[in-house]
Amino acid sequence: MRIQTGNVKPQPGEIWEIRRVPQVPIDLDITDYEVLYSDVARSFIQGYSSPRYVIIITELDDCQIVTVMLLSAEINYSSHVNILISRELSGLEQDFLAETWLVAEMFVCNLLTAVGQRLSLELYHYLMDVSENNQELSSTYKSAFCQQELDFTDIFHIPMNIYHHDQKYRDRIHFTEDLLTDIVTLQQELGAKKQSRIMLTNWLENIFESDWQNFIQRPQLAIAVRGGNNQDSSCSDSGEITTIIQQMSVEREEYQLRKLAKRLGEVAAGSTNNGDAIQALIELLQTTQDDETLWTGVESLWQIDPGNVAVGVRRVKLIDWGMHIAGEGVALAVALVPKLGRKFGVLLQVYPLGREIYLPPDLQLSLLDESGEMLRVVTARLADVYIQLKFSGEAGERFSVRISLGGAEIIEDFMI
């Protein structure tokens, strides 16, 4: 699954996807790409080959350069120098080879985004030890696969060669330090913008910003878009739990499935024998593609087993926009639940704090895309106890949340 790390600077042991079109300190036209880059590199630039990834080896230096180790999805070439990194270790969707013999420098601006999970310190040190023992291998290991990978590293080397005034290109490329400075400055500005975003997948690893806390007052995450009261929490015996689970296993209608999942949460929450109910709800969360069903299952599982990892993570932040409503504030709650593939379910909810029961009328919760364009909005009515929005997205996607009332508003930026 794709994620952006909480720290803008790539850290050793992280896995990053490579940007398709390399950023260089000059403008290149089509002819330049044909002359400078190998066929393998051009195929990648033009989008004809699969995404490529690297492991970060060293921290970013003052020149915006980082050292990386290339990864390959062609796992048939596993050897004592091409170390297999399983999907369980990387958090990616497939196994990869870490090419310990192929370590190179590259501009950080040619890294697109962090993916998967950071390698363990033990695995990182192991790769470094193997790499150190094979420093000369890149010039002597001449298999077809090796040559293909060496050709691909034009993605790294061409921008670096230009930067270092390589004589091979000096006659045809008029490099200036001003252009390089512009690129570095732009990258730093983009980095500062990224740093202000809340990286939601970090929450799954218990990495939280200080102003995002556990629920002090947990709202009822009902499935309707608007709040409501439902106090039906009657208990039943294990026979009813078994019956509900059996019905869920054959039910294909989403509306009926949601009713069963909701009822299962109510029944099992009052039972001491709820292990089967927990497992049934976990399976529902892992298989459903319907957002309404997903959040119904999440709420039911929360009632039975709130610490279960399958319910994802929920954090809340007090909204401080320099004003209070009837003497009380409001809070923004964000929930993140892993789904199939690289997708996540996201729930945004605004609810009142303190003595207030209802939100102020006309308070708005808006979902914005990365450019600030509004995607969806919900407005509080006279007696809403909360308002919420639900959506799905892939790791790495950026969005913003705006909460507004009258002339006051606050915007929070996120990345899945």
Side-chain angles (χ1 to χ4, degrees):
M1 55 184 178
R2 178 179 296 180
I3 63 174
Q4 175 79 36
T5 58
N7 191 332
V8 174
K9 296 180 180 179
Q11 300 297 310
E14 292 176 350
I15 300 175
W16 283 68
E17 182 176 348
I18 302 171
R19 186 181 300 277
R20 283 281 182 184
V21 180
Q23 297 185 24
V24 296
I26 62 167
D27 292 328
L28 298 181
D29 56 29
I30 295 177
T31 303
D32 291 323
Y33 281 109
E34 292 178 350
V35 172
L36 294 174
Y37 288 92
S38 65
D39 292 341
V40 174
R42 287 202 308 275
S43 177
F44 174 76
I45 293 171
Q46 295 165 357
Y48 297 140
S49 58
S50 301
R52 295 300 304 265
Y53 306 94
V54 293
I55 298 173
I56 306 302
I57 302 301
T58 63
E59 294 184 353
L60 191 66
D61 67 13
D62 294 337
C63 296
Q64 299 292 298
I65 296 172
V66 64
T67 304
V68 299
M69 178 184 293
L70 188 62
L71 291 176
S72 172
E74 299 186 38
I75 61 175
N76 292 333
Y77 297 94
S78 178
S79 67
H80 68 288
V81 294
N82 294 321
I83 307 300
L84 182 67
I85 306 295
S86 69
R87 67 192 71 183
E88 290 79 14
L89 293 176
S90 67
L92 301 176
E93 293 182 335
Q94 64 185 94
D95 299 337
F96 282 88
L97 293 183
E99 301 176 16
T100 63
W101 55 275
L102 212 169
V103 174
E105 288 185 334
M106 67 181 297
F107 283 120
V108 71
C109 58
N110 287 323
L111 293 171
L112 179 61
T113 187
V115 298
Q117 57 196 25
R118 190 173 183 179
L119 300 182
S120 68
L121 186 62
E122 180 180 8
L123 177 56
Y124 170 78
H125 283 314
Y126 172 72
L127 292 176
M128 295 307 99
D129 290 341
V130 176
S131 177
E132 185 176 354
N133 293 332
N134 294 289
Q135 289 181 350
E136 302 301 324
L137 191 59
S138 59
S139 62
T140 59
Y141 189 52
K142 295 301 183 182
S143 70
F145 169 73
C146 173
Q147 188 58 55
Q148 169 189 296
E149 297 300 272
L150 287 173
D151 289 344
F152 175 80
T153 56
D154 282 352
I155 298 291
F156 309 146
H157 294 150
I158 299 303
M160 293 299 302
N161 286 339
I162 296 174
Y163 170 67
H164 289 302
H165 299 263
D166 191 287
Q167 186 62 46
K168 179 179 180 180
Y169 307 112
R170 181 174 294 183
D171 295 337
R172 62 183 306 278
I173 296 177
H174 302 292
F175 173 83
T176 68
E177 288 293 337
D178 290 340
L179 288 175
L180 177 63
T181 300
D182 289 344
I183 287 181
V184 172
T185 300
L186 177 60
Q187 182 65 18
Q188 291 172 339
E189 291 174 353
L190 292 175
K193 184 175 181 180
K194 290 180 182 178
Q195 192 171 25
S196 66
R197 290 188 179 271
I198 304 300
M199 309 304 170
L200 291 180
T201 45
N202 282 352
W203 290 6
L204 297 173
E205 301 177 6
N206 291 319
I207 302 173
F208 306 104
E209 293 72 17
S210 59
D211 50 354
W212 286 88
Q213 303 174 2
N214 281 321
F215 285 107
I216 300 173
Q217 173 185 335
R218 186 177 70 88
Q220 177 70 16
L221 292 184
I223 300 308
V225 173
R226 301 186 183 279
N229 294 320
N230 189 338
Q231 300 300 325
D232 181 13
S233 58
S234 60
C235 298
S236 185
D237 57 16
S238 58
E240 184 177 359
I241 293 176
T242 301
T243 300
I244 296 174
I245 293 174
Q246 291 173 345
Q247 292 174 337
M248 288 177 59
S249 67
V250 298
E251 183 60 62
R252 294 296 178 264
E253 174 62 41
E254 292 294 340
Y255 174 73
Q256 295 297 331
L257 190 58
R258 289 195 289 271
K259 289 179 61 177
L260 290 169
K262 184 175 186 296
R263 179 58 182 165
L264 183 59
E266 295 168 347
V267 174
S271 173
T272 57
N273 185 19
N274 53 25
D276 290 341
I278 292 173
Q279 186 57 41
L281 289 169
I282 292 175
E283 292 177 1
L284 176 65
L285 300 185
Q286 293 174 342
T287 56
T288 184
Q289 294 293 321
D290 185 87
D291 280 348
E292 299 291 341
T293 303
L294 174 76
W295 290 108
T296 302
V298 167
E299 181 61 28
S300 290
L301 186 55
W302 179 276
Q303 295 179 45
I304 305 171
D305 186 17
N308 197 297
V309 295
V311 301
V313 62
R314 305 178 184 182
R315 306 296 281 189
V316 65
K317 180 177 181 179
L318 176 65
I319 300 305
D320 180 12
W321 45 21
M323 62 174 290
H324 288 80
I325 303 164
E328 303 293 347
V330 297
L332 170 64
V334 179
L336 181 74
V337 178
K339 298 178 64 176
L340 290 175
R342 300 168 60 180
K343 291 188 176 182
F344 294 83
V346 180
L347 184 145
L348 312 170
Q349 188 175 63
V350 177
Y351 64 96
L353 291 176
R355 297 185 299 273
E356 293 298 316
I357 300 175
Y358 304 115
L359 287 171
D362 298 325
L363 183 144
Q364 288 190 332
L365 170 64
S366 304
L367 175 65
L368 314 176
D369 65 15
E370 184 178 1
S371 65
E373 293 295 322
M374 183 184 297
L375 300 176
R376 296 167 61 187
V377 61
V378 61
T379 304
R381 297 179 298 189
L382 185 60
D384 278 336
V385 296
Y386 63 84
I387 53 176
Q388 68 181 23
L389 291 170
K390 302 182 296 292
F391 64 96
S392 294
E394 293 188 357
E397 288 189 17
R398 299 174 176 87
F399 67 93
S400 298
V401 177
R402 180 171 65 207
I403 303 170
S404 56
L405 179 63
E409 71 173 30
I410 185 171
I411 296 178
E412 293 284 342
D413 300 317
F414 298 91
M415 176 181 286
I416 299 178

